[in-house]
């Protein structure tokens, strides 16, 4: 019986090639899109799950509020890890990681900059699953100046893997002994490193400071232990260990500190939640967001629904074509259940063909999708374990659900009505069909509006006045490698033709280097009269090089020695301090002096000499926070404002100056490119969103094309009579199109409020955002109407120009 169902279904599909092609193509495109989105979502949700003990690993975060300033940190104080391991039985082990900021490694005469470098404790391999291929984890990172490297780096520098005992030579000619070689860290990890240097190589690793945080700290809980219970003990831990230092430095205990409205807290986040739920200061890499996982999941469901709606619409629209078949079968004794089974078999067969084609499409375009999404998704054995069963299940579920209504609808025809020709035909005969057209075009218009909003927001980010000029600013990285010669290089470069200005500092709006300090309005420890701003060390050319605007006072001056105690602040800092006129006001920095007698808190006075217009130095999702700039000797980077028509020649001159001072390779970037990198994820999401929206519209139009064809086919005689009576081609095309255009207009009215609400929610994540204008809905509506009209017109015009003799000669 099943064999007969399949054979009959196959013959029916062969007989109606147009119907089959539209359904298979629509479903295949929808399923391929869904499959790509599933790959993306699974990839995002799989971060850090490669660790065997992933469910028991947590990271400790810090939350600090001082006055009106709130900061969330992904780092903690140096002694915390060992304290947790020693004092709390529920903790099995701990490990600390710290970003080393990169290092130069010598390969022959070449010095190569490596950026994926972390300091790590010896317990690294007891907490994380990082398989060691060569070496022993017991002594891998126990000694200073030892390093563990990945397979890729072993091949890169030695062309072999068995390199334990050999040494890497860094830029300062310091040898680093290789103690282990590990597998490359999986892509689905919230941190990536090619080199792990022993934490004992870092001077601050044994710091007793409980008020200074610089280590990403991870805790491996014992089996069955509740991390929330440990988290509840953190306040007592902070009082015990940091209370004394707070009393010494701030002249107050934690209770007094919190009484003033401030707080210093710690919390824990599961390892597998970090990638999608953490965006603290001090992260080891760029994390994702659950928002886009939800958005893409919803898009996948929408596209699949559109494809399924196409199938249901086309199947019921063909009712008149199948009615006589159903009538004859029933007259010959076929039961309704067998007819239902027959139609479901056709539906499942179409779905099977669609799934096979969808798999081919998805696998074929996966490399292009990886490029746009910045992913490295591969189809391997682990993928096939869930992909094959999921595909088979999709065939049954989608085939059953999409074919269920058409099967019961068609099998319900009464033989006597069918054979007398009383079955309602034409587009007007199906209210549910009209509803489904409205439904799928509502989804398409929703996606069009969403695409326009995302595009406009990204365009706004690209063109917004950031408070500084990022164009034509060349940044030479790691200028500190020049030591005392860094200032010499700056002066030499300023003399070059085509260079407008240059500044030495690593504190740039587009860099990751950040530092904070506490400033008070008075020389008294009063959190209510304090701010916790970004505190940047710059030089006198910084503001001019970046094109910042002084709105009050003046810039730093090299001719004024007193500027060593001067500050230039941003507008937000002035507001936080409560100053309407901040010029010549004195504020005090909290400075801790460490001597043999202990620690002592000092209040160092600074005079505010200038106020700059607010500038963005973090994501536009965040409000601008207070910034205080003071003169300092930070030589991390050299920023060069250029103005030349021959940039390659100028770059060559700058490189020559660099090479005259050091053999190391000059590393550089442009500030506008660094800025674009900050928003690359949003740009990628925008591109993917546009692609998926286009596919959704194409699939909806395929269904509309098929419906228009069947509507025209069922009104063939009516069209013939109208033409005989003098109707023009335009009249007939308009008549056939009007019913569909009405439904698209209804879809516009329904989808617009929903699109406005949800896109407004998405924009709330941006501190600086666009307003959704009326023309966005107008463009989306006109676009939907235009696309629908063009799709329908193809069939309408074809029907209108047909010779009426062919349709009326049998009458």
């Amino acid at each position: 019986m099943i064999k007969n169902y399949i054979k009959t279904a196959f013959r029916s599909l062969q007989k109606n090639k147009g119907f089959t092609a539209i359904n298979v193509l629509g479903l295949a495109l929808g399923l391929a899109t869904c499959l790509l989105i599933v790959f993306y979502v699974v990839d995002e949700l799989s971060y850090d799950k490669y660790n065997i003990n992933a469910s028991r690993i947590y990271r400790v975060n810090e939350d600090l509020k001082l006055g009106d300033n709130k900061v969330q940190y992904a780092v903690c104080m140096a002694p915390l890890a060992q304290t947790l391991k020693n004092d709390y039985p529920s903790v099995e082990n701990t490990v600390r990681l710290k970003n080393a900021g990169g290092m130069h490694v010598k390969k022959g005469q070449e010095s190569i900059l490596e950026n994926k470098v972390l300091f790590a404790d010896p317990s690294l391999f007891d907490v994380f699953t990082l398989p060691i291929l060569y070496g022993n984890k017991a002594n891998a990172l126990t000694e200073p100046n030892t390093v563990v490297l990945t397979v890729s780096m072993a091949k890169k520098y030695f062309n072999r893997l068995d390199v334990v005992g050999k040494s890497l030579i860094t830029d300062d000619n310091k040898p680093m002994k290789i103690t282990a070689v590990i597998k490359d860290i999986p892509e689905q990890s919230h941190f990536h490193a090619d080199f792990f240097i022993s934490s004992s190589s870092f001077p601050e690793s044994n710091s007793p400071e409980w008020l200074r945080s610089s280590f990403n700290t991870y805790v491996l809980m014992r089996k069955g232990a509740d991390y929330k219970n440990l988290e509840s003990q953190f306040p007592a831990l902070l009082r015990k260990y940091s209370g004394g230092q707070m009393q010494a430095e701030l002249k107050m205990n934690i209770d007094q500190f919190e009484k003033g409205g401030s707080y210093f807290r710690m919390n824990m986040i599961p390892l597998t939640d970090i990638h999608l739920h953490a965006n603290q200061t001090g992260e080891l890499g760029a994390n994702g967001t659950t928002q886009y996982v939800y958005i893409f999941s919803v898009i996948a469901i929408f596209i699949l629904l559109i494809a399924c709606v196409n199938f249901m619409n086309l199947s019921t629209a063909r009712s008149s074509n199948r009615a006589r078949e159903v009538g004859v079968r029933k007259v010959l004794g076929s039961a309704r259940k067998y007819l239902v089974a027959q139609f479901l078999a056709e539906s499942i067969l179409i779905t099977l063909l669609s799934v096979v084609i969808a798999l081919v499409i998805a696998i074929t375009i996966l490399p292009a999708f990886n490029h746009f999404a910045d992913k490295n998704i591969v189809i391997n054995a682990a993928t096939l374990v869930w992909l094959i069963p999921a595909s088979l299940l999709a065939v049954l579920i989608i085939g059953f659900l999409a074919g269920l209504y058409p099967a019961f609808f068609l099998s319900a025809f009464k033989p006597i009505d069918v054979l007398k020709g009383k079955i309602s035909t034409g587009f007007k005969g199906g209210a549910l069909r009209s509803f489904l057209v409205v439904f799928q075009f509502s989804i398409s218009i929703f996606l069009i509006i969403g695409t326009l909003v995302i595009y406009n927001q990204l365009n706004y980010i690209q063109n917004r006045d950031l408070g500084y000029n990022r164009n034509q600013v060349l940044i030479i990285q790691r200028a500190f490698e020049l030591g005392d010669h860094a200032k010499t290089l700056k002066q030499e470069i300023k003399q070059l033709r085509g260079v407008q200005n240059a500044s030495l500092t690593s504190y740039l709006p587009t860099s990751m280097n950040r530092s904070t300090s506490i400033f008070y309005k008075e020389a008294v420890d009063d959190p209510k009269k304090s701010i916790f701003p970004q505190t940047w060390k710059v030089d006198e050319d910084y503001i001019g090089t970046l094109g910042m605007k002084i709105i009050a006072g003046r810039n730093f001056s090299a001719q004024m020695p007193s500027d060593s105690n001067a500050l230039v602040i941003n507008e937000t800092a002035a507001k936080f301090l409560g100053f309407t006129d901040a010029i010549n006001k004195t504020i005090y920095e909290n400075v801790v002096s460490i001597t043999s007698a202990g620690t002592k808190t000092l209040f160092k006075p600074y005079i505010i000499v200038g106020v700059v217009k607010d500038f963005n130095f973090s994501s536009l999702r965040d409000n601008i926070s207070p910034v205080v700039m003071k003169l300092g000797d930070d030589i991390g980077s050299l920023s060069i404002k250029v103005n030349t028509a021959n940039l390659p020649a100028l770059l060559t001159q700058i490189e020559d100056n660099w090479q005259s001072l050091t053999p190391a390779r000059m590393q550089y970037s442009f500030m506008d490119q660094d800025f674009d990198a900050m928003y690359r994820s949003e740009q990628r999401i925008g591109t993917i969103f546009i692609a998926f929206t286009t596919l959704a519209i194409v699939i909806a139009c395929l269904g509309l094309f098929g419906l228009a064809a069947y509507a025209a086919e069922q009104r063939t005689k009516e069209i013939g009579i109208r033409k005989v009576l003098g109707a023009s081609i335009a009249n007939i095309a308009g008549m056939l199109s009007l019913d569909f255009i009405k439904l698209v207009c209804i879809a516009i009215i329904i989808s617009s409020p929903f699109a406005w609400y949800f896109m407004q929610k998405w924009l709330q994540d941006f501190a600086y955002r666009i307003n959704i204008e009326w023309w966005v809905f107008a463009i989306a509506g006109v676009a939907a109407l235009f696309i629908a009209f063009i799709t329908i017109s193809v069939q309408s015009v074809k029907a209108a120009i047909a010779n009426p003799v062919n349709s009326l000669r049998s009458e």
Side-chain angles (χ1 to χ4, degrees):
M1 183 67 74
I2 295 175
K3 182 179 178 181
N4 182 59
Y5 287 151
I6 295 173
K7 186 183 295 185
T8 306
F10 187 73
R11 288 173 179 170
S12 176
L13 296 178
Q14 270 191 318
K15 181 181 177 182
N16 300 280
K17 292 184 176 63
F19 163 80
T20 304
I22 290 174
N23 262 331
V24 170
L25 182 59
L27 263 179
L29 286 175
L31 288 167
T33 304
C34 287
L35 194 55
L36 290 174
I37 294 176
V38 168
F39 286 156
Y40 177 89
V41 171
V42 169
D43 185 80
E44 287 289 289
L45 296 176
S46 65
Y47 268 68
D48 295 303
K49 291 183 179 178
Y50 66 89
N51 291 283
I52 295 174
N53 296 318
S55 62
R56 296 194 286 132
I57 302 173
Y58 301 84
R59 188 182 71 191
V60 183
N61 298 325
E62 283 185 9
D63 293 337
L64 176 63
K65 180 177 182 290
L66 186 63
D68 293 327
N69 301 270
K70 295 180 181 179
V71 188
Q72 295 179 314
Y73 291 102
V75 293
C76 292
M77 58 290 291
L80 175 66
Q82 194 61 41
T83 301
L84 289 174
K85 185 177 180 180
N86 293 341
D87 294 3
Y88 295 89
S90 61
V91 175
E92 182 176 319
N93 215 330
T94 59
V95 64
R96 300 174 303 169
L97 299 177
K98 179 175 174 57
N99 194 332
M103 68 178 180
H104 273 97
V105 180
K106 291 187 177 180
K107 183 180 182 182
Q109 298 300 313
E110 186 180 11
S111 181
I112 302 173
L113 176 63
E114 299 289 356
N115 290 310
K116 297 180 180 179
V117 185
L118 297 176
F119 290 108
D121 288 334
S123 54
L124 173 70
F125 305 105
D126 295 319
V127 176
F128 295 110
T129 304
L130 301 173
I132 296 177
L133 302 180
Y134 295 90
N136 188 339
K137 74 174 184 178
N139 55 16
L141 293 170
T142 55
E143 299 177 4
N145 301 320
T146 55
V147 63
V148 171
L149 64 160
T150 61
V151 165
S152 296
M153 292 302 104
K155 291 179 180 178
K156 179 177 180 179
Y157 287 96
F158 299 97
N159 292 319
R160 51 184 286 201
L161 298 182
D162 188 6
V163 294
V164 173
K166 293 186 176 294
S167 294
L168 286 175
I169 307 300
T170 60
D171 43 14
D172 56 1
N173 291 316
K174 183 172 66 175
M176 302 282 288
K177 183 181 177 183
I178 300 171
T179 54
V181 176
I182 63 173
K183 287 185 178 180
D184 290 348
I185 296 177
E187 285 290 328
Q188 294 78 20
S189 175
H190 80 281
F191 66 85
H192 293 90
D194 292 325
F195 302 86
F196 289 100
I197 301 174
S198 57
S199 59
S200 56
S201 307
F202 183 62
E204 294 180 17
S205 64
N206 294 319
S207 170
E209 287 285 330
W210 279 87
L211 298 181
R212 305 286 181 271
S213 300
S214 58
F215 287 91
N216 298 86
T217 304
Y218 300 85
V219 176
L220 174 63
M221 301 294 292
R222 295 192 184 278
K223 291 181 179 179
D226 183 4
Y227 82 96
K228 285 291 183 182
N229 183 45
L230 175 62
E231 196 176 57
S232 67
Q233 300 177 64
F234 283 165
L237 181 150
L238 288 173
R239 279 178 167 79
K240 179 179 179 180
Y241 290 102
S242 66
Q245 291 183 16
M246 183 175 286
Q247 185 70 49
E249 294 187 19
L250 301 180
K251 299 296 186 290
M252 65 177 72
N253 57 37
I254 289 181
D255 291 330
Q256 293 170 320
F257 183 71
E258 292 182 347
K259 190 176 181 180
S262 302
Y263 57 72
F264 176 38
R265 301 170 183 167
M266 295 192 302
N267 60 77
M268 299 174 72
I269 181 172
L271 177 69
T272 51
D273 285 354
I274 292 175
H275 177 66
L276 292 177
H277 297 275
N279 190 27
Q280 276 91 345
T281 300
E283 294 286 351
L284 291 174
N287 289 331
T289 170
T290 53
Q291 184 185 61
Y292 293 130
V293 171
Y294 294 144
I295 288 174
F296 286 143
S297 298
V298 169
I299 290 176
I301 294 170
F302 279 175
I303 289 176
L304 190 59
L305 285 174
I306 289 174
C308 291
V309 163
N310 277 352
F311 180 82
M312 295 172 66
N313 263 341
L314 290 174
S315 297
T316 55
R318 293 174 64 239
S319 58
S320 63
N321 300 47
R322 305 295 298 272
R324 286 186 175 84
E325 176 192 341
V326 172
V328 171
R329 281 173 177 263
K330 283 195 171 183
V331 167
L332 294 175
S334 179
R336 185 182 183 187
K337 64 180 180 179
Y338 296 124
L339 290 171
V340 169
Q342 177 63 56
F343 291 126
L344 284 177
E346 290 182 21
S347 174
I348 291 172
L349 188 57
I350 286 177
T351 307
L352 177 61
L353 291 172
S354 301
V355 167
V356 172
I357 295 172
L359 286 170
V360 173
I361 293 173
I363 293 171
T364 302
I365 66 174
L366 184 58
F369 180 78
N370 279 335
H371 173 73
F372 284 116
D374 194 28
K375 289 288 184 183
N376 189 29
I377 301 169
V378 293
I379 307 298
N380 51 30
T383 309
L384 294 176
V385 167
W386 63 264
L387 181 58
I388 293 175
S391 299
L392 294 175
L393 190 62
V395 168
L396 295 175
I397 294 176
I398 296 172
F400 182 78
L401 293 179
L404 193 63
Y405 172 74
F408 278 96
F409 176 80
L410 294 172
S411 64
F413 291 156
K414 295 179 180 178
I416 190 169
D417 291 334
V418 169
L419 298 177
K420 285 183 177 181
K422 293 182 179 180
I423 295 299
S424 176
T425 63
F427 187 76
K428 293 180 180 178
L432 179 63
R433 226 162 31 247
S434 299
F435 167 77
L436 293 176
V437 170
V438 171
F439 175 75
Q440 63 181 175
F441 264 89
S442 295
I443 293 174
S444 298
I445 294 163
F446 180 98
L447 293 175
I448 292 173
I449 294 171
T451 300
L452 290 172
V453 172
I454 290 174
Y455 175 81
N456 289 334
Q457 176 64 18
L458 293 177
N459 189 57
Y460 172 76
I461 289 173
Q462 292 294 319
N463 298 292
R464 184 179 185 273
D465 181 7
L466 300 172
Y468 66 93
N469 187 355
R470 65 184 185 272
N471 297 318
Q472 292 190 301
V473 177
L474 173 70
I475 301 172
I476 298 178
Q477 312 289 352
R478 297 176 67 86
F480 62 81
E481 293 179 356
L482 300 177
D484 295 337
H485 295 302
K487 292 183 179 179
T488 302
L489 178 66
K490 172 189 168 182
Q491 296 306 321
E492 289 178 352
I493 287 177
K494 285 181 70 174
Q495 304 306 314
L496 296 177
R497 191 173 183 179
V499 174
Q500 288 186 341
N501 213 336
S503 173
L504 265 175
T505 182
S506 60
Y507 291 98
L508 300 171
T510 54
S511 77
M512 298 299 293
N513 192 28
R514 297 290 180 261
S515 179
T516 54
S517 189
I518 303 173
F519 284 84
Y520 297 91
K521 291 178 68 173
E522 301 172 4
V524 179
D525 279 313
D526 185 356
K528 293 183 179 179
K529 296 182 179 180
S530 67
I531 63 170
F532 192 54
Q534 289 290 319
T535 308
W536 296 1
K537 293 180 181 179
V538 301
D539 62 15
E540 65 277 3
D541 295 314
Y542 181 80
I543 291 173
T545 300
L546 298 189
M548 294 179 176
K549 297 176 183 177
I550 297 282
I551 61 173
R554 61 175 177 84
N555 190 7
F556 295 113
S557 173
Q559 282 70 48
M560 300 184 69
S562 61
D563 275 4
S564 60
N565 290 321
L567 298 176
V568 174
I569 65 176
N570 69 347
E571 293 174 283
T572 300
K575 291 175 185 176
F576 270 63
L577 288 165
F579 294 146
T580 54
D581 180 10
I583 304 305
N584 294 324
K585 294 291 195 302
T586 301
I587 61 175
Y588 301 85
E589 182 181 15
N590 180 285
V591 179
V592 178
S593 174
I594 301 176
T595 65
S596 57
T599 59
K600 183 180 181 181
T601 301
L602 304 176
F603 293 96
K604 185 176 181 179
Y606 285 91
I607 296 175
I608 300 171
V609 299
V611 178
V612 295
K613 182 181 178 181
D614 276 344
F615 59 93
N616 287 94
F617 56 90
S618 61
S619 171
L620 289 183
R621 293 178 180 272
D622 305 322
N623 287 305
I624 295 174
S625 59
V627 177
V628 168
M629 291 178 279
K630 59 183 179 179
L631 291 177
D633 290 326
D634 187 291
I635 56 173
S637 302
L638 176 60
S639 302
I640 307 166
K641 180 68 174 180
V642 300
N643 184 17
T644 178
N646 192 354
L647 185 59
L650 179 59
L651 275 172
T652 300
Q653 288 180 287
I654 293 172
E655 285 182 311
D656 289 342
N657 284 74
W658 173 275
Q659 293 295 335
S660 69
L661 298 171
T662 177
R665 181 188 300 176
M666 186 179 84
Q667 304 284 335
Y668 67 89
S669 63
F670 287 91
M671 184 171 282
D672 56 349
Q673 294 173 347
D674 294 342
F675 174 82
D676 291 342
M678 293 171 63
Y679 297 97
R680 197 163 289 151
S681 63
E682 274 86 3
Q683 292 167 351
R684 285 196 302 267
I685 296 303
T687 302
I688 296 171
F689 202 94
I690 291 170
F692 288 157
T693 299
T694 303
L695 281 170
I697 294 169
V698 168
I699 296 168
C701 288
L702 277 173
L704 197 59
F705 182 85
L707 280 178
Y710 281 106
E713 180 185 334
Q714 292 169 359
R715 300 175 72 175
T716 301
K717 290 183 174 62
E718 177 188 348
I719 293 169
I721 293 170
R722 287 179 180 272
K723 287 198 71 175
V724 168
L725 295 176
S728 66
I729 293 175
N731 293 144
I732 294 172
M735 176 195 72
L736 292 173
S737 303
L738 186 61
D739 289 331
F740 294 102
I741 296 301
K742 286 179 181 177
L743 297 179
V744 175
C745 289
I746 294 172
I748 293 170
I749 295 170
I750 292 173
S751 62
S752 295
F754 287 100
W756 179 88
Y757 175 78
F758 285 105
M759 294 317 297
Q760 196 70 33
K761 294 281 285 183
W762 178 75
L763 287 171
Q764 293 304 313
D765 281 345
F766 293 88
Y768 304 94
R769 54 186 177 267
I770 61 168
N771 292 317
I772 304 178
E773 303 290 347
W774 65 269
W775 55 262
V776 171
F777 303 96
I779 290 176
V782 170
L785 286 170
F786 178 76
I787 293 168
F789 182 76
I790 294 297
T791 304
I792 298 163
S793 295
V794 174
Q795 290 295 345
S796 299
V797 171
K798 181 181 176 182
I801 63 177
N803 191 338
V805 173
N806 296 329
S807 58
L808 298 176
R809 62 187 173 188
S810 62
E811 296 298 319

